[in-house]
Amino acid sequence: MSTTSLRRRPAVKSKDQAFTFGRRWVAALLTPQAISASTLLVVIVGFTLSAPLWGINPDALDLDSMSQPPSSEHWFGTDGLGRDYFIRVLYGGRVSLAVGLLATLTGTGIGVVVGLAAGFSSPWIDGLLMRIVDFFNSLPWLLMVMVVSLLLKPGIGTIVICVGGFSWMSVARLVRAETLSIRERTYVRYAVYIGQSRARTALWHVLPDALPTILVAASSSVSGAMMSEATLSFLGRGIQPPQASWGQLLQIAQGSLQQLPHLAIIPGALIMATIYCLNVLTNVTRQAMEAGQ
Amino acid sequence: MPAGREGNPPSQWSACGMRWGIQGRTMLGYIGRRLAVAVPLLLLISFVVFAIMHQLPYDVIDSFSRPDMDREALEALRERYGLNDPFLVQYGRWLWGVLHGDFGYSLVSRHSIADDLLTKIPHSISLVLPAYLIALVLAIGLGLLAGANRGRPTDTVIDTSNALLISMPPFWFALLVMYFFGHTLRLFPIIGMHSVGRTDFTDFALHLFMPCLVLTVAFYPDLSRYVRSSTIAQLGEDYVMVQRAFGANKREIFLSHVSRHVLLPIITQLGLALPMLVTGALITETIFAWPGVGKYFADAVNTFDYPVVMAVLLLSAALVIIGNLLADISYRLADPRVRLKGGVS
């Protein structure tokens, strides 16, 4: 619980403040670092989204051209079964990015509900929820996720649940701290005073004010979720073949590392580039937010 | 510390400690209270994991049975391992064993798990400890350097490399290291801890190099960022300005004041790193086939060897809890201004 998140902000921003606030955002996003990061991210995301437009089947085997290095015909070469690696990397990227976003959405969703409930209900429920947060925090997450993933059918849904279900605690803590400060504001107290229900007050009056904090926390957990997905898939507990994700491609590449190093280098480099860009943009956003407070 | 009990406590207080009446008074009482929370927590974790393992559609018999094996013989094996007993009976039997220091036997290798752990924990520590110490020393040096030169080229290089290293998947780096040093240059052996028939230190060190490098690079960037940002925070404190006003030069301020304030909180990081000693190298151990606890666990998960999974999970959860407690205690010892709070976080 940091002191900055508890600091009161003026509830209503004047037009002038809103203007400087907007200008600060523009200034933050126009630094060379932020521009290059967002450009690279747009290129990567654009390529993965364009996967179906290339007209190449990612599962088509070509036994005449197995295990080839990159060439003009196969940009990223072919894998051990003669599948075009470029298109597999594109489809893998779609899965990796989708899992990153969905897991973040799941984790943030759970965190917001728990945080709002803890901060806006009786001390008893608050205590119980915080003990649950403690419980999840004291779990060795990689070990737990490996066990839980045994229980569910392998696939995108499972990995989203595993990653999201074990990463909501920090969001819950943040939202709870925000809620505790927001609920002391006059308009929230008034809403309670005139007899609005707790749930309605929490959703209509507290949640909107906590939204900026939530958004920053969510955006910073996308890269973590992508890394978790890659780790699990690499350990063979995530995305299963023939479906591909960048982590799963790395797992396959591990077996033929000596002969076909490019199969390992390409997906890993893409994971690293994507996570780096996401981290840069998150930092920029957070700094602009903190400066705006 | 008990000032909050008189008058009106600030809202932050009522939220955390006061309401629960677990505001600490003495260190021993504090430790006792924390342990009193830790034991039920460990029981809860073990129960949940046991329940999950019990729910699995497969069991260990499925992992080594072949289609041509006799169905009745398999059923007899299940009966012998106690896999047909009710869930609570199995859990009770397991818990009773653990309380007597008996973690049971691996269902796959039939070895005693306690014995296995006693040989594998030192293997993991011999890999993780050097890596963590190297990373810590590097992080302290480079972090202080970057923080002291904030905004200058030195800082930019260190900070950017930290950002890049944080974004790098450790297992990808492991593959690159393996390809470059192992396959291309053929400098180091690729898997294992010893070559067959050799037990000398040189052989061990050769095997250690690559996994240790990977782990060092995995541990370093977070620590380095931590040191850098707390250096920057300390340089902005009032006492630095006071020192300046009294004419102390930058070097004096930095060496005798700032670095001390930065280094003390690092003790707390050591407590948080405790669980990593045992399971922090799960991925690295799996890639380099290092016979430590991480690989032991990963193999056990793949073969549904649930007594092993349970034992490692319990050990790891206990280390997380003890590590957090040590971190809080050492932080309290390092900085008497910190109030003791309850909870297990």
Side-chain angles (χ1 to χ4, degrees), chain A residues 142-143 146 231 234-235 254, chain B residues 116-117 119-131 170-175 178 189-194 204 207-216 218-219 274-300 302 308 312 315-316 319:
Chain A
L142 183 58
L143 308 192
M146 284 176 76
T231 308
F234 181 76
L235 288 171
Q254 194 185 4
Chain B
D116 272 356
L117 281 177
T119 54
K120 281 168 197 295
I121 289 174
H123 292 170
S124 279
I125 291 179
S126 69
L127 169 62
V128 178
L129 194 62
F171 44 90
W172 181 61
F173 183 63
L175 293 184
M178 199 186 230
I190 291 160
I191 56 165
M193 199 167 82
H194 288 290
F204 171 74
H207 282 86
L208 182 68
F209 179 82
M210 288 200 294
C212 189
L213 172 68
V214 169
L215 270 185
T216 308
F219 291 148
L274 186 69
M276 287 203 289
L277 272 185
V278 175
T279 47
L282 193 145
I283 304 164
T284 316
E285 282 177 6
T286 315
I287 297 173
F288 291 100
W290 188 269
V293 182
K295 186 172 186 314
Y296 189 48
F297 180 82
D299 292 346
N302 288 332
V308 175
V312 178
L315 176 73
S316 183
L319 285 176

Coordinates of all heavy atoms in Angstrom, one line a residue, chain A residues 142-143 146 231 234-235 254, chain B residues 116-117 119-131 170-175 178 189-194 204 207-216 218-219 274-300 302 308 312 315-316 319:
Chain A
L142 N 4.6 -20.8 -9.6 CA 5.0 -21.7 -10.8 C 4.6 -23.2 -10.4 O 4.0 -23.9 -11.3 CB 6.4 -21.6 -11.1 CG 6.9 -22.3 -12.3 CD1 6.1 -22.0 -13.6 CD2 8.4 -22.1 -12.6
L143 N 4.9 -23.6 -9.2 CA 4.7 -24.9 -8.8 C 3.2 -25.2 -8.8 O 2.7 -26.2 -9.3 CB 5.2 -25.2 -7.4 CG 6.7 -24.9 -7.2 CD1 7.2 -25.5 -5.9 CD2 7.6 -25.4 -8.3
M146 N 1.6 -25.4 -12.3 CA 1.9 -26.7 -12.9 C 1.0 -27.7 -12.4 O 0.5 -28.6 -13.2 CB 3.4 -27.1 -12.6 CG 4.4 -26.3 -13.5 SD 6.1 -26.7 -13.1 CE 6.2 -28.3 -13.9
T231 N 6.5 -19.3 -20.3 CA 7.1 -20.2 -19.4 C 6.4 -21.5 -19.3 O 7.0 -22.6 -19.4 CB 7.2 -19.5 -18.0 OG1 7.8 -18.2 -18.1 CG2 8.0 -20.4 -17.0
F234 N 6.6 -23.4 -22.4 CA 7.9 -24.0 -22.6 C 8.1 -25.2 -21.8 O 8.8 -26.2 -22.1 CB 9.0 -22.9 -22.2 CG 10.4 -23.4 -22.4 CD1 10.9 -23.5 -23.6 CD2 11.1 -23.8 -21.3 CE1 12.2 -23.9 -23.8 CE2 12.4 -24.2 -21.5 CZ 13.0 -24.3 -22.7
L235 N 7.5 -25.2 -20.6 CA 7.6 -26.4 -19.7 C 6.6 -27.5 -20.1 O 6.5 -28.5 -19.5 CB 7.3 -26.0 -18.3 CG 8.4 -25.2 -17.6 CD1 7.9 -24.7 -16.2 CD2 9.6 -26.0 -17.4
Q254 N 13.7 -26.6 -28.7 CA 14.8 -27.1 -27.8 C 15.3 -28.4 -28.3 O 16.5 -28.7 -28.1 CB 14.1 -27.2 -26.4 CG 15.1 -27.4 -25.3 CD 14.4 -27.7 -24.0 OE1 13.2 -27.8 -23.9 NE2 15.1 -27.8 -22.9
Chain B
D116 N 15.7 -38.5 -1.0 CA 15.8 -37.8 -2.3 C 16.1 -36.3 -2.1 O 17.0 -35.7 -2.7 CB 14.6 -38.0 -3.1 CG 14.7 -39.3 -3.9 OD1 15.8 -39.9 -3.9 OD2 13.7 -39.7 -4.6
L117 N 15.2 -35.7 -1.2 CA 15.3 -34.3 -1.0 C 16.7 -33.9 -0.4 O 17.3 -32.9 -0.8 CB 14.2 -33.8 -0.1 CG 12.8 -33.6 -0.8 CD1 11.8 -33.2 0.2 CD2 12.9 -32.5 -1.9
T119 N 19.5 -35.3 -0.9 CA 20.5 -35.2 -1.9 C 20.3 -34.1 -2.9 O 21.2 -33.5 -3.4 CB 20.7 -36.5 -2.6 OG1 19.4 -36.9 -3.2 CG2 21.2 -37.6 -1.7
K120 N 19.0 -33.8 -3.1 CA 18.7 -32.8 -4.2 C 18.8 -31.4 -3.8 O 19.1 -30.5 -4.5 CB 17.4 -33.1 -4.9 CG 17.5 -34.3 -5.8 CD 16.2 -34.8 -6.3 CE 16.4 -36.2 -6.9 NZ 17.1 -36.2 -8.1
I121 N 18.5 -31.1 -2.5 CA 18.5 -29.7 -2.0 C 19.9 -29.1 -2.1 O 20.1 -28.0 -2.7 CB 17.9 -29.6 -0.6 CG1 16.4 -29.8 -0.7 CG2 18.2 -28.2 0.0 CD1 15.8 -29.9 0.7
P122 N 21.0 -29.9 -1.7 CA 22.3 -29.3 -1.8 C 22.7 -29.1 -3.3 O 23.3 -28.1 -3.6 CB 23.2 -30.4 -1.3 CG 22.4 -31.2 -0.3 CD 21.0 -31.1 -0.9
H123 N 22.2 -29.9 -4.2 CA 22.5 -29.7 -5.6 C 21.9 -28.4 -6.1 O 22.5 -27.6 -6.8 CB 21.9 -30.8 -6.5 CG 22.5 -32.1 -6.3 ND1 22.0 -33.3 -6.8 CD2 23.7 -32.5 -5.7 CE1 22.8 -34.3 -6.5 NE2 23.8 -33.8 -5.8
S124 N 20.6 -28.1 -5.7 CA 20.0 -26.9 -6.1 C 20.7 -25.7 -5.5 O 20.9 -24.7 -6.1 CB 18.5 -26.8 -5.6 OG 17.7 -27.6 -6.5
I125 N 21.1 -25.8 -4.2 CA 21.7 -24.7 -3.5 C 23.1 -24.4 -4.2 O 23.4 -23.2 -4.4 CB 21.9 -25.0 -2.0 CG1 20.5 -25.0 -1.3 CG2 22.8 -23.9 -1.3 CD1 20.5 -25.3 0.1
S126 N 23.8 -25.5 -4.6 CA 25.1 -25.2 -5.2 C 25.0 -24.5 -6.5 O 25.9 -23.9 -7.0 CB 25.8 -26.6 -5.3 OG 25.2 -27.3 -6.3
L127 N 23.8 -24.6 -7.1 CA 23.6 -23.8 -8.4 C 23.1 -22.4 -8.1 O 23.5 -21.5 -8.7 CB 22.6 -24.6 -9.2 CG 22.1 -23.9 -10.5 CD1 23.2 -23.6 -11.4 CD2 21.0 -24.8 -11.2
V128 N 22.1 -22.3 -7.2 CA 21.4 -21.1 -7.0 C 22.2 -20.1 -6.2 O 22.2 -18.9 -6.5 CB 20.0 -21.3 -6.4 CG1 19.3 -20.0 -6.2 CG2 19.1 -22.2 -7.2
L129 N 22.9 -20.6 -5.1 CA 23.5 -19.6 -4.2 C 24.6 -18.8 -5.0 O 24.6 -17.6 -4.9 CB 24.1 -20.4 -3.0 CG 24.5 -19.5 -1.9 CD1 23.3 -18.7 -1.3 CD2 25.2 -20.3 -0.8
P130 N 25.6 -19.5 -5.7 CA 26.6 -18.7 -6.4 C 25.9 -17.7 -7.4 O 26.3 -16.5 -7.4 CB 27.4 -19.7 -7.1 CG 26.9 -21.0 -6.8 CD 25.8 -20.9 -5.9
A131 N 24.9 -18.2 -8.1 CA 24.3 -17.3 -9.1 C 23.7 -16.1 -8.4 O 23.8 -14.9 -8.8 CB 23.2 -18.1 -9.8
P170 N 14.1 -16.1 -19.5 CA 15.3 -16.8 -19.1 C 15.5 -18.1 -19.8 O 16.7 -18.4 -20.1 CB 15.0 -17.1 -17.6 CG 13.9 -16.2 -17.2 CD 13.1 -15.9 -18.5
F171 N 14.4 -18.8 -20.2 CA 14.6 -20.1 -20.9 C 15.2 -19.9 -22.3 O 15.9 -20.7 -22.8 CB 13.4 -20.9 -20.9 CG 12.1 -20.2 -21.2 CD1 11.7 -20.1 -22.5 CD2 11.4 -19.5 -20.2 CE1 10.5 -19.4 -22.8 CE2 10.2 -18.8 -20.5 CZ 9.8 -18.8 -21.8
W172 N 14.8 -18.7 -22.9 CA 15.3 -18.4 -24.2 C 16.8 -18.1 -24.1 O 17.6 -18.6 -24.9 CB 14.6 -17.2 -24.8 CG 15.1 -16.8 -26.2 CD1 15.0 -17.6 -27.3 CD2 15.6 -15.6 -26.6 NE1 15.5 -16.9 -28.4 CE2 15.9 -15.6 -28.0 CE3 15.9 -14.4 -25.9 CZ2 16.4 -14.6 -28.7 CZ3 16.4 -13.3 -26.6 CH2 16.7 -13.4 -28.0
F173 N 17.2 -17.4 -23.1 CA 18.6 -17.1 -22.9 C 19.4 -18.4 -22.7 O 20.5 -18.6 -23.2 CB 18.8 -16.1 -21.7 CG 20.2 -15.7 -21.5 CD1 20.9 -15.0 -22.4 CD2 20.8 -16.0 -20.3 CE1 22.2 -14.6 -22.2 CE2 22.1 -15.7 -20.0 CZ 22.8 -15.0 -21.0
A174 N 18.7 -19.3 -21.9 CA 19.4 -20.6 -21.7 C 19.6 -21.3 -23.0 O 20.7 -21.9 -23.1 CB 18.5 -21.4 -20.7
L175 N 18.7 -21.3 -23.9 CA 18.9 -22.0 -25.2 C 20.0 -21.3 -26.0 O 20.8 -22.0 -26.6 CB 17.6 -22.0 -26.0 CG 16.4 -22.8 -25.4 CD1 15.2 -22.7 -26.4 CD2 16.8 -24.2 -25.2
M178 N 23.2 -22.3 -24.4 CA 23.5 -23.7 -24.7 C 24.0 -23.8 -26.1 O 25.0 -24.5 -26.4 CB 22.2 -24.4 -24.5 CG 22.4 -25.9 -24.3 SD 20.7 -26.6 -24.3 CE 20.8 -27.6 -22.9
P189 N 30.1 -28.8 -21.0 CA 29.1 -29.9 -21.2 C 27.7 -29.3 -21.1 O 27.4 -28.4 -20.4 CB 29.4 -30.8 -20.0 CG 30.2 -30.0 -19.1 CD 30.9 -28.9 -19.8
I190 N 26.8 -29.9 -21.9 CA 25.5 -29.4 -22.0 C 24.5 -29.7 -20.9 O 23.7 -28.9 -20.4 CB 24.9 -29.8 -23.4 CG1 25.7 -29.0 -24.5 CG2 23.4 -29.4 -23.5 CD1 25.5 -29.7 -25.8
I191 N 24.6 -31.0 -20.5 CA 23.6 -31.4 -19.4 C 24.3 -32.0 -18.2 O 25.4 -32.5 -18.3 CB 22.5 -32.4 -20.0 CG1 23.2 -33.6 -20.6 CG2 21.6 -31.7 -20.9 CD1 22.3 -34.7 -20.8
G192 N 23.6 -32.1 -17.1 CA 24.0 -32.8 -15.9 C 24.9 -32.0 -15.0 O 25.2 -30.8 -15.3
M193 N 25.4 -32.6 -14.0 CA 26.2 -32.0 -13.0 C 27.6 -32.6 -13.0 O 28.5 -31.9 -12.6 CB 25.5 -32.2 -11.6 CG 26.0 -31.2 -10.6 SD 24.9 -31.2 -9.1 CE 25.6 -32.6 -8.3
H194 N 27.7 -33.8 -13.4 CA 29.0 -34.5 -13.4 C 29.1 -35.3 -14.7 O 28.0 -35.8 -15.1 CB 29.2 -35.4 -12.3 CG 29.5 -34.7 -11.0 ND1 30.6 -34.0 -10.7 CD2 28.7 -34.6 -9.9 CE1 30.5 -33.5 -9.5 NE2 29.4 -33.8 -9.0
F204 N 32.8 -30.5 -12.1 CA 31.6 -29.8 -11.6 C 31.5 -28.4 -12.0 O 30.4 -27.9 -12.4 CB 31.7 -29.9 -10.0 CG 30.6 -29.1 -9.3 CD1 29.3 -29.6 -9.3 CD2 30.9 -28.0 -8.7 CE1 28.3 -28.9 -8.7 CE2 29.9 -27.2 -8.0 CZ 28.6 -27.7 -8.0
H207 N 30.4 -28.0 -15.6 CA 28.9 -28.2 -15.7 C 28.1 -27.0 -15.1 O 27.1 -26.8 -15.5 CB 28.5 -29.5 -15.0 CG 28.8 -30.7 -15.8 ND1 30.0 -31.4 -15.7 CD2 28.1 -31.4 -16.6 CE1 30.0 -32.4 -16.5 NE2 28.8 -32.5 -17.1
L208 N 28.7 -26.4 -14.1 CA 28.0 -25.4 -13.4 C 27.9 -24.1 -14.2 O 26.9 -23.3 -14.1 CB 28.7 -25.1 -12.0 CG 28.1 -24.0 -11.1 CD1 26.7 -24.5 -10.6 CD2 29.0 -23.6 -10.0
F209 N 28.9 -23.8 -15.1 CA 29.0 -22.5 -15.7 C 27.8 -22.1 -16.4 O 27.2 -21.0 -16.1 CB 30.2 -22.5 -16.7 CG 30.4 -21.2 -17.4 CD1 31.0 -20.1 -16.7 CD2 29.8 -21.0 -18.6 CE1 31.2 -18.9 -17.4 CE2 30.0 -19.7 -19.2 CZ 30.6 -18.7 -18.6
M210 N 27.3 -22.8 -17.3 CA 26.1 -22.3 -18.1 C 24.9 -22.1 -17.3 O 24.3 -21.0 -17.4 CB 25.9 -23.3 -19.3 CG 27.0 -23.2 -20.4 SD 26.4 -23.8 -22.0 CE 26.2 -25.5 -21.7
P211 N 24.4 -23.1 -16.5 CA 23.2 -22.8 -15.7 C 23.4 -21.7 -14.8 O 22.4 -20.9 -14.6 CB 22.9 -24.1 -15.0 CG 24.1 -25.0 -15.2 CD 24.8 -24.5 -16.4
C212 N 24.6 -21.5 -14.2 CA 24.8 -20.5 -13.3 C 24.8 -19.1 -14.0 O 24.2 -18.2 -13.5 CB 26.2 -20.7 -12.6 SG 26.5 -19.6 -11.3
L213 N 25.3 -19.1 -15.2 CA 25.3 -17.8 -16.0 C 23.8 -17.4 -16.2 O 23.4 -16.3 -16.1 CB 26.0 -18.0 -17.3 CG 25.9 -16.9 -18.3 CD1 26.6 -15.6 -17.8 CD2 26.5 -17.3 -19.7
V214 N 23.0 -18.4 -16.7 CA 21.6 -18.1 -17.0 C 20.9 -17.6 -15.7 O 20.1 -16.6 -15.8 CB 20.9 -19.4 -17.5 CG1 19.4 -19.2 -17.6 CG2 21.5 -19.8 -18.9
L215 N 21.1 -18.3 -14.6 CA 20.4 -17.8 -13.4 C 20.9 -16.4 -12.9 O 20.1 -15.6 -12.5 CB 20.7 -18.8 -12.3 CG 19.7 -20.0 -12.1 CD1 20.1 -20.8 -10.9 CD2 18.3 -19.5 -12.0
T216 N 22.2 -16.2 -13.1 CA 22.7 -14.9 -12.7 C 22.0 -13.8 -13.5 O 21.5 -12.8 -12.9 CB 24.2 -14.8 -12.9 OG1 24.8 -15.9 -12.3 CG2 24.8 -13.5 -12.4
A218 N 19.2 -14.0 -14.8 CA 17.7 -14.0 -14.5 C 17.5 -13.2 -13.2 O 16.5 -12.5 -13.1 CB 17.2 -15.4 -14.3
F219 N 18.5 -13.3 -12.2 CA 18.3 -12.7 -10.9 C 18.7 -11.2 -11.0 O 18.1 -10.4 -10.3 CB 19.1 -13.4 -9.8 CG 18.7 -14.7 -9.5 CD1 19.5 -15.7 -9.1 CD2 17.3 -15.0 -9.5 CE1 19.1 -17.0 -8.7 CE2 16.9 -16.3 -9.1 CZ 17.8 -17.3 -8.8
L274 N 14.8 -16.5 -0.2 CA 15.0 -17.8 0.4 C 14.3 -19.0 -0.4 O 14.9 -20.0 -0.6 CB 14.5 -17.8 1.9 CG 14.8 -19.0 2.7 CD1 16.2 -19.2 2.9 CD2 14.0 -19.0 4.0
P275 N 13.0 -18.8 -0.7 CA 12.4 -19.9 -1.5 C 13.1 -20.2 -2.8 O 13.0 -21.3 -3.3 CB 11.0 -19.4 -1.7 CG 10.9 -18.0 -1.4 CD 12.1 -17.7 -0.4
M276 N 13.8 -19.2 -3.4 CA 14.4 -19.4 -4.6 C 15.6 -20.4 -4.5 O 15.9 -21.1 -5.5 CB 14.9 -18.1 -5.2 CG 13.8 -17.2 -5.7 SD 14.4 -16.1 -6.9 CE 15.3 -15.0 -5.9
L277 N 16.2 -20.5 -3.3 CA 17.3 -21.4 -3.1 C 16.9 -22.8 -3.5 O 17.7 -23.6 -4.1 CB 17.7 -21.5 -1.7 CG 18.7 -20.4 -1.2 CD1 19.1 -20.7 0.2 CD2 19.9 -20.5 -2.1
V278 N 15.6 -23.2 -3.3 CA 15.2 -24.6 -3.6 C 14.5 -24.7 -4.9 O 14.8 -25.6 -5.7 CB 14.3 -25.0 -2.4 CG1 13.8 -26.4 -2.7 CG2 15.1 -25.1 -1.1
T279 N 13.6 -23.8 -5.2 CA 12.8 -24.0 -6.4 C 13.0 -22.9 -7.4 O 12.3 -22.9 -8.4 CB 11.3 -24.2 -6.1 OG1 10.9 -23.1 -5.2 CG2 11.0 -25.5 -5.5
G280 N 13.9 -22.0 -7.2 CA 14.1 -20.8 -8.1 C 14.7 -21.2 -9.4 O 14.6 -20.4 -10.4
A281 N 15.2 -22.4 -9.5 CA 15.9 -22.8 -10.7 C 15.2 -23.8 -11.5 O 15.7 -24.6 -12.2 CB 17.3 -23.2 -10.4
L282 N 13.8 -23.9 -11.3 CA 13.1 -25.0 -11.9 C 13.3 -25.1 -13.4 O 13.6 -26.1 -13.9 CB 11.6 -24.8 -11.6 CG 10.6 -25.9 -11.8 CD1 9.5 -26.0 -10.8 CD2 10.0 -25.9 -13.2
I283 N 13.2 -23.9 -14.1 CA 13.3 -23.9 -15.5 C 14.7 -24.2 -15.9 O 15.0 -25.1 -16.8 CB 12.8 -22.6 -16.1 CG1 11.4 -22.3 -15.6 CG2 12.9 -22.6 -17.6 CD1 11.0 -20.8 -15.8
T284 N 15.7 -23.6 -15.3 CA 17.1 -23.8 -15.6 C 17.5 -25.2 -15.4 O 18.2 -25.8 -16.2 CB 17.9 -22.8 -14.8 OG1 17.3 -21.5 -14.8 CG2 19.3 -22.7 -15.4
E285 N 17.1 -25.7 -14.2 CA 17.4 -27.1 -13.9 C 16.8 -28.1 -15.0 O 17.5 -29.1 -15.4 CB 16.9 -27.5 -12.5 CG 17.8 -27.0 -11.4 CD 17.3 -27.3 -10.0 OE1 16.3 -28.0 -9.9 OE2 17.8 -26.8 -9.1
T286 N 15.6 -27.8 -15.4 CA 15.0 -28.7 -16.4 C 15.7 -28.6 -17.7 O 16.0 -29.7 -18.3 CB 13.5 -28.2 -16.6 OG1 12.9 -28.0 -15.4 CG2 12.7 -29.3 -17.3
I287 N 16.1 -27.4 -18.1 CA 16.8 -27.3 -19.4 C 18.2 -28.0 -19.4 O 18.5 -28.7 -20.3 CB 17.0 -25.8 -19.8 CG1 15.6 -25.2 -20.0 CG2 17.8 -25.7 -21.1 CD1 15.7 -23.7 -20.2
F288 N 18.9 -27.7 -18.3 CA 20.3 -28.3 -18.3 C 20.4 -29.6 -17.6 O 21.5 -30.1 -17.3 CB 21.2 -27.3 -17.6 CG 21.5 -26.0 -18.4 CD1 20.8 -24.8 -18.1 CD2 22.4 -26.0 -19.4 CE1 21.0 -23.7 -18.8 CE2 22.6 -24.9 -20.2 CZ 21.9 -23.7 -19.9
A289 N 19.2 -30.2 -17.3 CA 19.1 -31.5 -16.6 C 20.0 -31.5 -15.3 O 20.7 -32.5 -15.1 CB 19.6 -32.7 -17.5
W290 N 19.9 -30.4 -14.6 CA 20.7 -30.3 -13.3 C 19.8 -31.1 -12.2 O 18.7 -30.8 -12.1 CB 20.8 -28.9 -12.9 CG 21.7 -28.6 -11.8 CD1 21.3 -28.5 -10.5 CD2 23.1 -28.4 -11.8 NE1 22.3 -28.2 -9.7 CE2 23.5 -28.2 -10.4 CE3 24.0 -28.3 -12.8 CZ2 24.8 -27.9 -10.1 CZ3 25.3 -28.1 -12.4 CH2 25.7 -27.9 -11.1
P291 N 20.4 -32.1 -11.6 CA 19.6 -32.9 -10.7 C 19.2 -32.3 -9.4 O 19.5 -32.8 -8.3 CB 20.5 -34.1 -10.4 CG 21.9 -33.6 -10.6 CD 21.8 -32.4 -11.6
G292 N 18.5 -31.1 -9.4 CA 18.1 -30.4 -8.2 C 16.6 -30.6 -7.9 O 15.9 -31.4 -8.6
V293 N 16.1 -29.8 -7.0 CA 14.7 -30.0 -6.6 C 13.8 -29.6 -7.7 O 12.7 -30.1 -7.8 CB 14.5 -29.1 -5.3 CG1 13.1 -29.3 -4.8 CG2 15.4 -29.5 -4.2
G294 N 14.1 -28.5 -8.4 CA 13.2 -28.0 -9.5 C 13.0 -29.1 -10.5 O 11.8 -29.4 -10.9
K295 N 14.0 -29.8 -11.0 CA 13.9 -30.8 -12.0 C 13.1 -32.0 -11.3 O 12.3 -32.6 -12.0 CB 15.2 -31.3 -12.5 CG 15.1 -32.3 -13.6 CD 16.4 -32.6 -14.2 CE 16.3 -33.5 -15.5 NZ 15.4 -34.6 -15.2
Y296 N 13.4 -32.3 -10.1 CA 12.7 -33.4 -9.3 C 11.2 -33.1 -9.4 O 10.4 -34.0 -9.7 CB 13.2 -33.3 -7.9 CG 12.8 -34.5 -7.0 CD1 12.9 -35.8 -7.4 CD2 12.4 -34.2 -5.7 CE1 12.6 -36.8 -6.5 CE2 12.0 -35.2 -4.8 CZ 12.1 -36.5 -5.3 OH 11.8 -37.5 -4.4
F297 N 10.8 -31.8 -9.1 CA 9.4 -31.5 -9.1 C 8.8 -31.6 -10.5 O 7.7 -32.2 -10.7 CB 9.2 -30.1 -8.6 CG 7.8 -29.6 -8.5 CD1 7.0 -29.9 -7.5 CD2 7.3 -28.8 -9.5 CE1 5.7 -29.5 -7.4 CE2 6.0 -28.4 -9.5 CZ 5.2 -28.8 -8.4
A298 N 9.5 -31.0 -11.5 CA 8.9 -31.0 -12.8 C 8.7 -32.5 -13.3 O 7.7 -32.8 -13.9 CB 9.9 -30.3 -13.8
D299 N 9.7 -33.4 -13.0 CA 9.5 -34.8 -13.4 C 8.4 -35.4 -12.7 O 7.6 -36.2 -13.3 CB 10.8 -35.5 -13.1 CG 12.0 -35.1 -14.0 OD1 11.7 -34.4 -15.0 OD2 13.1 -35.4 -13.7
A300 N 8.2 -35.1 -11.4 CA 7.1 -35.6 -10.6 C 5.8 -35.2 -11.1 O 4.9 -36.0 -11.2 CB 7.3 -35.2 -9.1
N302 N 5.1 -34.5 -14.2 CA 4.8 -35.2 -15.5 C 4.5 -36.6 -15.3 O 3.8 -37.2 -16.1 CB 6.1 -35.1 -16.4 CG 6.2 -33.7 -16.9 OD1 5.2 -33.0 -17.1 ND2 7.4 -33.3 -17.2
V308 N 5.7 -36.9 -4.2 CA 6.8 -36.0 -4.4 C 6.3 -34.5 -4.6 O 6.9 -33.6 -4.0 CB 7.6 -36.5 -5.6 CG1 8.7 -35.5 -6.0 CG2 8.2 -37.8 -5.4
V312 N 7.5 -31.4 -2.2 CA 8.2 -30.2 -2.7 C 7.3 -28.9 -2.5 O 7.8 -27.9 -2.1 CB 8.6 -30.4 -4.2 CG1 9.3 -29.1 -4.7 CG2 9.5 -31.6 -4.3
L315 N 7.4 -27.9 1.1 CA 8.7 -27.3 1.4 C 8.8 -25.9 0.9 O 9.2 -25.0 1.6 CB 9.7 -28.2 0.8 CG 11.2 -27.7 0.9 CD1 11.6 -27.9 2.3 CD2 12.1 -28.5 0.0
S316 N 8.3 -25.7 -0.4 CA 8.4 -24.4 -1.0 C 7.5 -23.4 -0.4 O 8.0 -22.3 -0.1 CB 8.1 -24.6 -2.5 OG 8.2 -23.4 -3.2
L319 N 9.0 -22.3 2.8 CA 10.1 -21.4 2.6 C 9.6 -20.0 2.3 O 10.2 -19.0 2.7 CB 11.1 -21.9 1.5 CG 12.0 -23.1 2.0 CD1 12.8 -23.6 0.8 CD2 12.9 -22.6 3.1

